[in-house]
Amino acid sequence: MTATDHRTLRRVLRREIAGTIGLLADEHDFRAMRRYRTFAFEDHTTYLHHVETLLRTRTLQGGFTTLALFDPEEFADYCTRGGLDPDSPASRTRFTAELAATGPTVPYGGEPLTHLVPALVDEAVRRATWDYAAALLARLGACATCGEDLGRAAFARASRLLTRILDTAPPGHRHLVCSVAGPDETLVAVLHADPTASDGTTGGPDLDEAEALEFTAVLAVGLATHSPGGLVVRITTPGAPDRVHGWRLRGYGLTPLTAGEVFDAYCTDATSGEPIPPESNVDYCAPPDLGDTEPGPLHGH
């Protein structure tokens, strides 16, 4: 076999290698990495330009690349734990490989970085919310009277309520937001539900599994801890006004908001408390009856 044949085979083999780039998405993280001598870039804009060029080149060559958020503080901790030199490209590569295996990533499909970075940040926030909510539920432990796992029971209760909300909502695309005032911070989860499955069938709403798990976990935290919070649904149907309705978390369940309460929530600035103009072509409505007859709170014994 000739040297040319060997080079051709190596080029073919390179197309079989998936890659991950640890991206410094903002200026603050970029400046933190500039303390390392082996980090060659001096300007964040130039850095992002070269990352985008590399992504396009790999795609044109038939390669597949994902992006992960590179956190300099987590990288420094990783090097300390592993006894690695942080001022080394090899250490950065090992950390990025760890991110690819365990952290949130998004695939590059040819879109500009300005579109991809917000999606990557959203994915990281969603993963962090899920981890935080799951840890809170795990710490609840077992009921002292019956021994049932309180976090698991709350998750099952939240799952049933979410199913009832989707079953009773008017037809259309549903955009759900759940917010819960946790002990350390406010948890917010978003769920999108299309009226038909991704294969075109109409057997049930099409849900992103990761979104649904995170949403259910946040709702479960609110139920289990009796924390203040709310759940709002916005239904969009072509040719008709959007419909908005919601509930307040109360005890181990959801209390429906009146149309006036939904209007007030949407038309009041959350920071200043000042009124803001209502959106056009939006109806603020009382929610449908969930038929929720389950007693609460459970484990009152």
Side-chain angles (χ1 to χ4, degrees):
M1 183 176 290
T2 67
T4 301
D5 291 332
H6 283 297
R7 286 195 295 269
T8 300
L9 289 176
R10 283 195 292 269
R11 282 197 298 270
V12 171
L13 187 58
R14 277 197 293 271
R15 292 200 295 267
E16 304 292 327
I17 301 174
T20 299
I21 294 177
L23 183 70
L24 297 163
D26 60 44
E27 186 76 37
H28 177 269
D29 287 344
F30 180 83
R31 287 198 303 269
M33 290 302 294
R34 290 206 56 214
R35 60 185 164 178
Y36 300 122
R37 179 186 53 81
T38 57
F39 185 75
F41 293 94
E42 298 181 356
D43 174 78
H44 190 228
T45 302
T46 302
Y47 162 80
L48 292 177
H49 171 73
H50 283 287
V51 169
E52 194 158 18
T53 301
L54 176 61
L55 288 168
R56 286 199 300 266
T57 301
R58 283 181 53 83
T59 300
L60 289 173
Q61 293 173 345
F64 176 77
T65 312
T66 59
L67 288 175
L69 282 180
F70 194 104
D71 186 306
E73 291 186 10
E74 291 183 3
F75 169 65
D77 291 341
Y78 172 82
C79 291
T80 299
R81 293 194 308 270
L84 303 174
D85 176 12
D87 197 356
S88 164
S91 298
R92 293 194 287 273
T93 301
R94 289 181 61 171
F95 178 66
T96 301
E98 186 87 7
L99 292 177
T102 62
T105 61
V106 294
Y108 175 72
E111 58 269 73
L113 273 184
T114 52
H115 295 169
L116 203 58
V117 168
L120 179 58
V121 172
D122 287 346
E123 181 65 21
V125 170
R126 188 170 72 181
R127 176 72 69 90
T129 301
W130 160 255
D131 290 343
Y132 183 72
L136 281 178
L137 292 173
R139 287 204 299 266
L140 294 176
C143 174
T145 301
C146 70
E148 184 174 12
D149 186 292
L150 296 175
R152 188 172 299 165
F155 192 91
R157 168 81 167 138
S159 181
R160 290 192 294 271
L161 285 171
L162 176 58
T163 299
R164 289 299 300 150
I165 289 169
L166 294 175
D167 287 346
T168 58
H173 173 80
R174 300 87 177 265
H175 176 85
L176 296 84
V177 178
C178 181
S179 61
V180 173
D184 301 315
E185 59 182 287
T186 297
L187 300 177
V188 179
V190 175
L191 177 63
H192 299 88
D194 288 320
T196 56
S198 55
D199 60 3
T201 62
T202 57
D206 185 26
L207 302 175
D208 180 276
E209 184 177 351
E211 271 192 3
L213 284 173
E214 179 211 358
F215 192 93
T216 306
V218 169
L219 177 56
V221 167
L223 297 174
T225 60
H226 296 187
S227 298
L231 195 158
V232 175
V233 183
R234 182 168 183 152
I235 300 101
T236 301
T237 306
D242 284 6
R243 292 169 54 91
V244 179
H245 56 250
W247 296 262
R248 180 182 295 108
L249 270 69
R250 179 164 292 170
Y252 209 59
L254 297 171
T255 300
L257 298 174
T258 66
E261 289 173 325
V262 176
F263 179 89
D264 288 343
Y266 260 76
C267 301
T268 302
D269 186 276
T271 303
S272 67
E274 294 295 317
I276 55 178
E279 295 181 65
S280 61
N281 208 35
V282 174
D283 290 338
Y284 304 95
C285 317
D289 182 12
L290 296 181
D292 179 31
T293 59
E294 183 173 335
L298 295 184
H299 301 278
H301 301 296

